[in-house]
Amino acid sequence: MMATGTGTAGSNQNGAVPTGPYGSPGEILSVAGPLSQNANVPVVDKDFSDLFVTDAYDLGIKDAARPNLILDQFATEKASNLTHNGDVKRIRFMDDLVDATTPLLENIDVDKVALSGRTVNLTQRQYGNALQRTELLENQSMVPWDPIAARKAGWNAGSTLDTLAKNAFFATTLAMYTPSDTALTGSVGLLAPTLSNGSAGYLSTDVLQEGIVMLGEKNAEPYMNDQYVLLIGPRGAQHLKAESNAGGWRDVVMRAEAGRDGGNDIFRGYIGNYEGTMVVVSRHLTAGKALLFGAEAFAKTFPGVNGAGAMPSAVVSPVTDSLRRFAGIGWKWTGGYSLFRPQNVIQITHTTGNRPLAATNNAIGATAYAEA
């Protein structure tokens, strides 16, 4: 198809334009671009480019932005030594005897005391997801469907477990039961710092110190290496990094010696170990929330039989349609997450807003753990 261009020349091509075709009369140029990228003379031909100049596709498929999946590792308590398979896994706690500090009289026998305890029930449910394609799609697609679907199913399995863990970890109460099945309720410790105007405050060193005191007063064992874990989101990390007042995170770190990479933690943007805690930043937390916890804070349950283990299983769906045209892939998992020792958990609520340098809280807002 012959046509006349409609483009306007720029400063480097705006010389005198002939009124007729260039060169020999009736000259035609085959061009690639649209008419808007060509001048009105000479006449252009786009038939070839319309047929053969096409979009090019990168066959490497990119994934969406993803959070880091790290929460499952903190569910350290797992039911074991089971009597049999079951829906609910019941774990028993036995209380210690009260210290006997009263001196005994020589001629009277000691009074006998009873043992007491409580139970925690870990409930497991089944989860899963699946994708399916037709044979025609596989035959006609420019990229293979199967490996993409498998990759998406695998990520979905991990992301689902991380979300289930997050939902369980941020529960504020845990149902417990006496040996006679009387319901009890245990609750985690809470810290809700506030500003002078009463609005939500910042995650700060004094809040962290108070949380460590609360854990210690409830005999919460450290998570590992004599350290608790502070699990925070990106905003919580910013709050610590902006703490430049005396004794704050920035004040301490700026005095640290440079590391092997030639810079201290401020330069690297690394928080690391601080105030007896391992600071872990997760991009999968609810905004404005953080957790401070010790050992055995959270539990994970799964059947442990017939291939139903701690992690999801990949499933290639059987082909069951009459003409064997439908194929699928997915994953499944049976299990669950729960608080385990709520006295070992402190839930921190802070503002989702930016913390200016040296800004401080007005109050810490501590609520201690309530024993079941």
Side-chain angles (χ1 to χ4, degrees):
M1 177 189 72
M2 292 182 294
T4 301
T6 61
T8 301
S11 60
N12 60 339
Q13 293 181 308
N14 62 354
V17 178
T19 57
Y22 297 145
S24 60
E27 180 177 0
I28 299 174
L29 288 178
S30 292
V31 296
L35 296 179
S36 61
Q37 292 182 10
N38 290 274
N40 62 339
V41 288
V43 173
V44 296
D45 172 36
K46 289 188 78 275
D47 280 0
F48 187 89
S49 63
D50 289 343
L51 288 171
F52 299 109
V53 178
T54 63
D55 293 338
Y57 299 95
D58 186 347
L59 298 181
I61 309 301
K62 308 301 180 183
D63 294 314
R66 294 170 167 177
N68 50 340
L69 308 181
I70 60 174
L71 301 183
D72 175 84
Q73 65 182 303
F74 300 119
T76 55
E77 186 63 27
K78 299 176 176 63
S80 59
N81 195 27
L82 299 175
T83 56
H84 58 279
N85 299 334
D87 172 26
V88 174
K89 294 184 177 180
R90 177 165 291 193
I91 300 179
R92 296 176 173 86
F93 292 90
M94 292 303 299
D95 297 329
D96 290 327
L97 301 181
V98 176
D99 293 342
T101 59
T102 302
L104 296 175
L105 297 178
E106 182 180 358
N107 62 337
I108 300 177
D109 196 3
V110 66
D111 294 336
K112 310 306 183 291
V113 296
L115 293 173
S116 62
R118 68 197 70 194
T119 63
V120 170
N121 293 340
L122 303 181
T123 302
Q124 52 196 22
R125 293 289 182 263
Q126 195 166 49
Y127 305 91
N129 222 339
L131 304 97
Q132 193 173 40
R133 63 157 174 83
T134 65
E135 182 183 58
L136 186 62
L137 173 64
E138 181 70 3
N139 292 342
Q140 294 185 353
S141 174
M142 72 169 66
V143 295
W145 182 92
D146 290 4
I148 296 174
R151 190 172 74 198
K152 293 301 179 182
W155 174 263
N156 180 248
S159 180
T160 298
L161 262 64
D162 208 64
T163 299
L164 291 172
K166 177 180 69 173
N167 294 342
F169 293 0
F170 277 94
T172 55
T173 60
L174 176 66
M176 299 179 178
Y177 301 90
T178 67
S180 60
D181 274 345
T182 301
L184 305 170
T185 301
S187 60
V188 304
L190 302 175
L191 282 169
T194 56
L195 304 179
S196 57
N197 62 3
S199 61
Y202 308 117
L203 179 64
S204 57
T205 296
D206 56 349
V207 173
L208 177 56
Q209 290 172 338
E210 181 64 21
I212 293 173
V213 170
M214 293 169 68
L215 290 177
E217 289 178 343
K218 294 301 179 181
N219 295 319
E221 289 291 334
Y223 182 80
M224 65 168 54
N225 299 329
D226 206 31
Q227 291 184 314
Y228 296 110
V229 174
L230 176 63
L231 185 62
I232 59 178
R235 180 56 69 189
Q238 187 272 326
H239 286 182
L240 282 179
K241 293 177 181 179
E243 191 176 46
S244 60
N245 50 299
W249 181 86
R250 202 172 193 87
D251 181 65
V252 173
V253 173
M254 72 174 58
R255 290 166 170 72
E257 295 182 3
R260 287 176 296 177
D261 57 359
N264 65 18
D265 291 349
I266 292 178
F267 304 145
R268 293 179 293 171
Y270 174 73
I271 297 178
N273 299 332
Y274 182 59
E275 289 286 346
T277 67
M278 295 181 290
V279 182
V280 180
V281 180
S282 169
R283 302 191 302 273
H284 204 200
L285 297 190
T286 302
K289 295 289 187 179
L291 287 175
L292 176 65
F293 56 89
E296 296 185 350
F298 312 110
K300 180 180 183 179
T301 180
F302 50 89
V305 295
N306 300 324
M311 290 297 160
S313 301
V315 179
V316 178
S317 304
V319 180
T320 59
D321 65 295
S322 299
L323 298 180
R324 301 177 61 83
R325 296 180 302 153
F326 304 154
I329 190 170
W331 64 270
K332 63 181 180 180
W333 183 67
T334 300
Y337 296 88
S338 173
L339 289 173
F340 189 67
R341 294 186 184 269
Q343 70 268 35
N344 290 13
V345 181
I346 306 294
Q347 188 175 133
I348 304 171
T349 302
H350 58 80
T351 177
T352 59
N354 175 71
R355 180 181 188 177
L357 285 174
T360 59
N361 292 314
N362 183 60
I364 293 176
T367 302
Y369 161 79
E371 182 70 40

